[in-house]
Amino acid sequence: MVLIRWQPMQEMEALRRQMDRVFDEVAQAKHEAQVTWRPAVELQDTEENIILRAQIPGVAAQDLDINVTKGAVAIAGERRYDKDSKNGYFRSEFRYGKFQRVIALPVAVQNDQVKAQFQDGILTLTLPKVTEARRQVVKVNLADTNTATAATTHASDAVNQAENTTATV
């Protein structure tokens, strides 16, 4: 007959690991229930504007909440489940429920002059850049050599300032 030594600490550690696994599964299920889906977005950087497009199919315009700051856009809403369906579903892969998405912008924008359009499930926001973030071109006058040097210096300073502003925001 073989004697096995009882080690209570190992049994306690095994019980702790099992409890951790149970709590992790519960927390993950709760998180998945809260974050049901996120709309896909694309950003386009033009000379004067940042254009943001978001795919939000099946959501009514009154169910959207859009907030724009100088550095980010927050889109929130809800895709409602159709409870008036007479027949049950065999299979549904649609995502329902609340969503929220915050998109950081590459440059500062004028948040009081945003234009929005919502058509065919695509939200399009035209966000005008602040004037400091736009690339400014300065014309150099070559009539006088002293003036030409000064104008060239100011032009290079303006381009450097615009690039620095773009890089830091």
Side-chain angles (χ1 to χ4, degrees):
M1 173 187 310
V2 178
L3 290 174
I4 299 176
R5 187 171 208 175
W6 182 51
Q7 297 178 348
M9 295 307 282
Q10 284 183 348
E11 291 180 19
M12 295 287 286
E13 184 64 25
L15 179 62
R16 186 192 62 81
R17 279 193 304 257
Q18 289 174 353
M19 293 296 289
D20 285 347
R21 239 181 274 132
V22 168
F23 286 124
D24 287 343
E25 290 173 4
V26 169
Q28 183 179 5
K30 184 178 179 181
H31 177 71
E32 288 175 0
Q34 289 176 349
V35 180
T36 56
W37 65 287
R38 293 172 26 142
V41 298
E42 72 179 16
L43 282 174
Q44 181 181 3
D45 189 3
T46 65
E47 188 73 27
E48 303 276 326
N49 302 312
I50 298 288
I51 299 172
L52 182 137
R53 288 184 199 86
Q55 287 182 338
I56 311 175
V59 177
Q62 63 266 19
D63 291 335
L64 288 175
D65 183 26
I66 304 165
N67 296 312
V68 180
T69 64
K70 292 189 183 289
V73 174
I75 302 171
E78 183 176 5
R79 185 171 184 188
R80 301 186 190 279
Y81 180 74
D82 184 20
K83 295 178 183 175
D84 295 334
S85 176
K86 301 290 182 198
N87 298 328
Y89 290 103
F90 178 72
R91 179 178 183 162
S92 176
E93 295 180 355
F94 289 178
R95 299 201 181 248
Y96 296 98
K98 295 182 180 185
F99 65 89
Q100 182 174 1
R101 180 94 192 251
V102 178
I103 301 102
L105 299 173
V107 296
V109 296
Q110 298 175 3
N111 58 340
D112 56 346
Q113 297 180 2
V114 175
K115 295 178 185 167
Q117 179 183 11
F118 187 60
Q119 183 178 10
D120 297 331
I122 304 290
L123 172 68
T124 304
L125 298 176
T126 304
L127 309 156
K129 295 179 184 178
V130 294
T131 53
E132 293 84 28
R134 295 181 189 161
R135 295 195 183 266
Q136 298 177 354
V137 178
V138 178
K139 185 172 181 174
V140 178
N141 186 4
L142 296 176
D144 185 19
T145 55
N146 293 337
T147 307
T149 305
T152 305
T153 305
H154 292 303
S156 63
D157 290 343
V159 170
N160 288 338
Q161 183 181 7
E163 289 174 354
N164 289 338
T165 303
T166 304
T168 58
V169 174

